[in-house]
Amino acid sequence: AQSVTQPDIHITVSEGASLELRCNYSYGATPYLFWYVQSPGQGLQLLLKYFSGDTLVQGIKGFEAEFKRSQSSFNLRKPSVHWSDAAEYFCAVVPRGSQGNLIFGKGTKLSVKP
Amino acid sequence: EAGVTQFPSHSVIEKGQTVTLRCDPISGHDNLYWYRRVMGKEIKFLLHFVKESKQDESGMPNNRFLAERTGGTYSTLKVQPAELEDSGVYFCASSQNLQETQYFGPGTRLLVL
């Protein structure tokens, strides 16, 4: 079945440590790939997206993600986490040829220890 | 440029009542989407407008939900009558073209008691 999987529901990292949030998808053709973030009390903000081309994508706030076709993955990374990065992170896809509606993973809540 | 706005930010109603949520997309965005997140679940697509036309309403849970987008500008989502399982956060998003970035509003938190 077609799906987006974020295996980690909650992750805690220390401030200054590196971060990797996992995302796997299951679709016949590689979909368009997105990472969104929702800070407390805020709406969803796009961090980065991958449509084609270079498999390492740079986003806002120092985030990057790497598309790996062989693993059907699109993991989000940040080399040094700041306390303000505490939020919920959502991986999402838009299947190619669809009307553009996003299909989301369940989200990963990030806590940052001082 | 103003972002996507949603009203109200919160709504608490009793089972059986009616609630209407409003979304104002970014000016000039033809595509408007509604999504919902119920407690503990993933964000799910409800429907998609292109201008004033419903392009895809496959995600609407049942006929208690009615969405409109008069004149292709703002959109409303009415739930009548509301049930307990309708509680959640309702998000609206807009984009200029298909497959372009969708910009999200802050959401409306609906609680049905």
Side-chain angles (χ1 to χ4, degrees), chain A residues 33-39 41-49 60 88-94 100-105, chain B residues 1-7 22-27 29 31-37 42-48 89-97 99-109:
Chain A
L33 300 160
F34 303 81
W35 275 99
Y36 280 86
V37 61
Q38 185 181 20
S39 299
Q42 305 293 314
L44 291 158
Q45 183 181 23
L46 180 70
L47 285 174
L48 45 77
K49 61 187 177 185
I60 62 170
E88 192 161 17
Y89 292 79
F90 296 93
C91 180
V93 307
V94 171
N101 49 291
L102 289 157
I103 299 167
F104 286 88
Chain B
E1 179 185 284
V4 178
T5 58
Q6 292 187 245
F7 182 84
R22 174 171 169 144
C23 169
D24 286 77
I26 293 172
S27 177
H29 281 194
N31 294 277
L32 187 150
Y33 301 83
W34 282 98
Y35 295 87
R36 176 176 78 167
R37 190 184 194 193
E42 62 267 37
I43 301 167
K44 285 201 168 176
F45 165 77
L46 295 178
L47 87 158
H48 169 209
V89 183
Y90 290 76
F91 292 102
C92 175
S94 72
S95 69
Q96 196 155 28
N97 298 305
Q99 275 95 40
E100 292 211 358
T101 298
Q102 292 183 29
Y103 295 90
F104 279 77
T108 293
R109 283 149 185 80

Side-chain angles (χ1 to χ4, degrees), chain A residues 9-47:
Chain A
I9 295 172
H10 191 187
I11 283 181
T12 300
V13 300
S14 297
E15 191 167 17
S18 64
L19 171 70
E20 182 168 31
L21 302 182
R22 295 181 290 165
C23 174
N24 292 90
Y25 60 89
S26 175
Y27 285 84
T30 302
Y32 302 111
L33 300 160
F34 303 81
W35 275 99
Y36 280 86
V37 61
Q38 185 181 20
S39 299
Q42 305 293 314
L44 291 158
Q45 183 181 23
L46 180 70
L47 285 174

